[in-house]
Amino acid sequence: MSSLVLMVIGLAVFAFGYLVYSKYLANRVLKLDEAFVTPSHELNDGIDYVPTNKFILWGHHFTSVAGAAPIVGPAVAIIWGWLPAFLWVTIGTVFFAGMHDLGALWASQRNKGRSIGSLSARYIGKRGSYLFLVVIFLLLLMVVTAFAVVITGLLINTPSSVIPAWGAIVVAVLVGLAIYRAKWPLLPVTVVGVVTLYALIVVGDRVPVVLPENFLGIGPAAFWIIVLFVYGGLASLLPVWLLLQPRDYINGVQLFVGLALLYGAVLIGTLLGADATTIVAPMINTAVPEGTPSIFPLLFVTIACGAISGFHGIVSSGTSAKQLDKETDARFVGYFGAVGEGLLSLGTILAVAGGFGTLANWQEVYSAFGKGGVGAFVEGGGNLMEQGIGLPASLSATVLATMAVLFAATTMDTGMRLMRFVVQEAASSFNMRVNKYVATLLVVAIGAAMTFSQGLEGSGGMRIWPLFGTTNQLLASLTLSIIAIMLIRKRRNPLPALLPLAVVFVMSFWAAINQAFSFANPDNPDALLLVLDIIIIVSSIWVAIEAFIAMRKAQSAPPEADDEDVRLEAVREEV
C-alpha cells in the first residue's frame, strides 16, 4: 500500500474536523463570543497575561503541547500495526483532542484564566481539587524530568542538532523584540526568523558539537541536563512575549515547513516509485514480539499527544487562556492546535511504516515493545526525505532531530512554568503565599533531584515515566468532566465531552490497574511505582466520584446565569 493513500485519507479527516466539527463545537456547544472580555485584557500584567495575536499564540500553544510525545507514541504503538495507530490518531484528534483542548481553553478563560486544577475546586469541590493538583504535579514532574533526558539523548546522539537547538533561543528573543518592541510586521519577521533557523540547521549539520567524555568534571549527559534545568527555570520566569511566545511561534512555523518536506517527500517519492513510500509495516500485526502487551487498553495510553492528552488541558488553562486576545480565537488556537499534533503523528506513522524499505528492516527495529520512538522517526523520516525530495540523509536527520529537540524543549520549559503555577496555587489553598522565584527554585530542585536520583547520567529522569501514559489520560478524562459540568450547568449539549470522557477514563483506568499488578509482580516488584500508581488510581476514583455528584447536582440545579454574572461571581470568590 502506498503511503500517499494513507496521507490523503488522514488529511481529509483532519480537514473535516477543523472545517466542520470545530465550527459546531465553537458555535453551538461552547458558543464562543467575540465581545467577551478575555483575561488577557482584564488582567494584563505584561508577564503571564498578555493579549496575543492568534497566530503567535497558536505557535506557542501547539509547540508547548506537542513536545516529543506525538512522535514517540505513534512510533512505538505501530508495533500493533499501522491501522490501529492511524485510526486512533485521526478519530482521537477530531472527536477527542479537539473538544478537550478547545473546551479546556474555553473553561479557563471563562474563569479569569485559572488552571484546570483551580477550576476543579469551583466545579467539583475542594476535596477533589487537592487530589487533582497532586495528579497534575506528578504528571508535570514526569514530563519535565523525562524530556530533560530525551533532549539530552538527542543532543548527544545527533550532535548536528546542538547549534540550531540553542541558536533558536537567540532567534526567538530577537523575534520577540522585533514584534513587541519594534512593532515590525509579523510576516517579514516570520520569514526572516524561519530562514535563520533553517540556516542554523545547515550550519549544525556541517559543524556538529560533540562534548568530550569529561567536560568540566562531569559527563556530557550531566552537563546538558544541568544546562536544560537552568534554562527551563530562567525561561519560566521571563515575560511570555520575550521568549516563550516567539520561540514557540517560530518552532510552529518550522514544524509546518518540516511536515511540508515530509509530506512532499511522500507525494514526490510515490510518483518516483521510491521504496520508502511503500508501507511495509503490517496493517494489523498478528506476530508481535514476545512480551508485547495487549493492544487494549495500551494503545490508548501509548498514543496520547496526537490523539488526546491531559497535558494539553494544563497548557490550555495554564498559559494559553491567559493570552487569548478574543474568545473566538480559541477555536484556531485550541482545536487547530490539536489538529497540528495530529498532523505530526500522521507524519510519524508514514515515516515509520514505510521509511525502512522492507518488512525485515522494520521487524529488526520493532523487535520488542518500546522499541522505535524518536530514533525510528528520525531514521525512517530521513530515508523518506532522501528518496522523495533528494535531501541528503544526514541533513534530513538533522532537520527531524532539531524538530524533536525544539518541541521537547518547549514542552519542558512550559512544564516548569506550569509546575510553578501549581506550587503557588497549592500554597494559596492553604492560605500561604509563595512568590514565583521561590516556586521556580523549588520546581528546579525537585526536577533535578529526580533526574539525578539514580546517577549523573540522568536515568532517574525516566524513573516514573512508565506512569505517564495512564496518568496523562486519566487527567484528560477529569478535565473533560469539568467541561461537561460547565456545559450541564449552562444547559448545553454535554455529549461532545461526555462520550470521549467515558472512553478515555475506562481505557486509562484499565491500564492503571494492569500496571499496578505489574509493579506488584513478586518476580520484579517496583515499590515506588506501585505506591505512586495507587495514589493516582485512588485520586482519580475520588475525583471521578466528586465529578459525577457535581454533574447530578448541575442537572437538578437552576440553569446557570449568563456568563457575565458568573464572571462577577468568580471575581468575588477570588477577592
Side-chain angles (χ1 to χ4, degrees):
M1 179 178 175
S2 171
S3 298
L4 181 62
V5 175
L6 209 57
M7 183 181 82
V8 170
I9 294 173
L11 293 177
V13 173
F14 292 146
F16 164 80
Y18 183 69
L19 297 176
V20 179
Y21 190 59
S22 75
K23 279 188 177 180
Y24 166 74
L25 295 178
N27 298 334
R28 301 291 297 278
V29 179
L30 303 178
K31 298 184 179 179
L32 303 183
D33 182 3
E34 187 170 353
F36 183 79
V37 180
T38 60
S40 69
H41 288 282
E42 180 185 355
L43 305 173
N44 188 348
D45 62 5
I47 298 175
D48 296 318
Y49 290 85
V50 179
T52 304
N53 177 288
K54 70 177 182 179
F55 297 103
I56 296 177
L57 181 55
W58 175 88
H60 153 67
H61 175 82
F62 166 61
T63 53
S64 294
V65 300
I71 297 173
V72 175
V76 170
I78 201 172
I79 197 167
W80 289 299
W82 61 260
L83 182 60
F86 175 78
L87 290 176
W88 179 224
V89 163
T90 51
I91 296 173
T93 294
V94 171
F95 295 106
F96 289 63
M99 178 59 193
H100 174 274
D101 296 11
L102 172 58
L105 194 54
W106 165 77
S108 175
Q109 63 89 45
R110 282 281 169 171
N111 287 273
K112 298 179 64 182
R114 292 178 178 180
S115 76
I116 205 70
S118 178
L119 291 185
S120 64
R122 174 174 169 77
Y123 291 101
I124 294 179
K126 287 192 174 182
R127 289 176 304 182
S129 71
Y130 295 145
L131 297 172
F132 210 115
L133 287 174
V134 169
V135 175
I136 290 173
F137 188 84
L138 287 174
L139 180 68
L140 290 172
L141 182 62
M142 294 174 201
V143 169
V144 167
T145 56
F147 277 30
V149 176
V150 169
I151 297 167
T152 295
L154 286 167
L155 293 174
I156 293 174
N157 297 326
T158 315
S160 57
S161 66
V162 172
I163 288 178
W166 293 107
I169 297 173
V170 179
V171 173
V173 170
L174 294 175
V175 168
L177 292 172
I179 293 173
Y180 287 100
R181 287 296 179 261
K183 304 296 183 181
W184 291 355
L186 180 60
L187 181 59
V189 173
T190 301
V191 172
V192 172
V194 173
V195 169
T196 304
L197 181 57
Y198 272 89
L200 288 171
I201 290 175
V202 174
V203 172
D205 185 55
R206 297 184 179 181
V207 189
V209 177
V210 181
L211 298 182
E213 287 301 313
N214 191 326
F215 187 70
L216 300 178
I218 55 178
F223 173 79
W224 284 129
I225 290 171
I226 292 172
V227 170
L228 283 165
F229 272 104
V230 171
Y231 157 75
L234 293 174
S236 69
L237 290 170
L238 291 174
V240 290
W241 64 265
L242 182 60
L243 176 61
L244 198 69
Q245 284 181 357
R247 181 210 54 201
D248 294 354
Y249 170 64
I250 290 297
N251 285 349
V253 177
Q254 180 259 154
L255 164 78
F256 269 86
V257 174
L259 284 178
L261 293 174
L262 190 62
Y263 287 142
V266 172
L267 176 61
I268 297 173
T270 300
L271 297 176
L272 296 176
D275 293 339
T277 60
T278 300
I279 294 178
V280 296
M283 178 184 293
I284 297 178
N285 192 6
T286 56
V288 295
E290 186 177 352
T292 301
S294 170
I295 187 172
F296 295 102
L298 261 292
L299 172 69
F300 298 90
V301 297
T302 301
I303 300 179
C305 299
I308 182 173
S309 166
F311 180 71
H312 295 196
I314 307 176
V315 175
S316 292
S317 62
T319 62
S320 300
K322 296 176 173 66
Q323 301 168 58
L324 270 181
D325 183 32
K326 294 184 291 188
E327 185 177 58
T328 48
D329 291 347
R331 175 175 167 247
F332 181 78
V333 174
Y335 196 97
F336 194 63
V339 170
E341 280 222 324
L343 289 169
L344 180 55
S345 292
L346 175 60
T348 299
I349 292 172
L350 299 176
V352 299
F356 297 102
T358 67
L359 177 60
N361 290 341
W362 183 87
Q363 289 174 330
E364 183 178 352
V365 173
Y366 288 90
S367 57
F369 182 72
K371 298 288 186 180
V374 175
F377 169 71
V378 171
E379 181 182 350
N383 292 336
L384 180 60
M385 290 166 68
E386 182 180 33
Q387 293 183 29
I389 56 178
L391 202 64
S394 63
L395 184 56
S396 299
T398 301
V399 170
L400 297 176
T402 300
M403 182 189 301
V405 168
L406 291 178
F407 284 171
T410 58
T411 300
M412 179 185 173
D413 60 43
T414 298
M416 293 181 72
R417 196 181 197 98
L418 293 168
M419 284 180 76
R420 186 245 292 177
F421 291 157
V422 170
V423 169
Q424 291 178 293
E425 286 179 359
S428 67
S429 298
F430 295 97
N431 297 318
M432 298 169 58
R433 291 184 64 86
V434 177
N435 68 44
K436 64 181 180 179
Y437 301 106
V438 173
T440 299
L441 284 175
L442 184 62
V443 166
V444 171
I446 293 173
M450 172 60 81
T451 306
F452 289 125
S453 62
Q454 293 184 322
L456 289 179
E457 78 286 351
S459 59
M462 304 301 291
R463 182 74 178 86
I464 59 176
W465 182 252
L467 291 170
F468 173 78
T470 51
T471 307
N472 188 44
Q473 300 303 70
L474 282 169
L475 182 58
S477 64
L478 300 178
T479 299
L480 284 165
S481 71
I482 292 176
I483 298 169
I485 291 169
M486 289 184 65
L487 291 173
I488 293 171
R489 288 173 65 163
K490 295 177 184 298
R491 297 297 187 266
R492 298 178 190 172
N493 181 12
L495 288 180
L498 288 175
L499 293 178
L501 159 62
V503 173
V504 174
F505 185 81
V506 168
M507 290 299 174
S508 53
F509 189 78
W510 181 3
I513 295 296
N514 286 352
Q515 278 189 318
F517 281 108
S518 174
F519 298 145
N521 187 341
D523 296 329
N524 187 27
D526 194 318
L528 173 63
L529 294 185
L530 177 60
V531 169
L532 290 177
D533 196 26
I534 291 174
I535 291 173
I536 291 166
I537 290 172
V538 172
S539 299
S540 300
I541 293 174
W542 193 317
V543 176
I545 292 173
E546 297 273 5
F548 179 75
I549 294 171
M551 288 182 198
R552 293 295 300 271
K553 288 181 178 178
Q555 283 180 317
S556 57
E560 190 175 66
D562 65 46
D563 293 303
E564 202 56 44
D565 289 341
V566 174
R567 189 172 184 76
L568 291 173
E569 179 189 341
V571 173
R572 286 193 293 270
E573 287 182 358
E574 186 72 15
V575 173

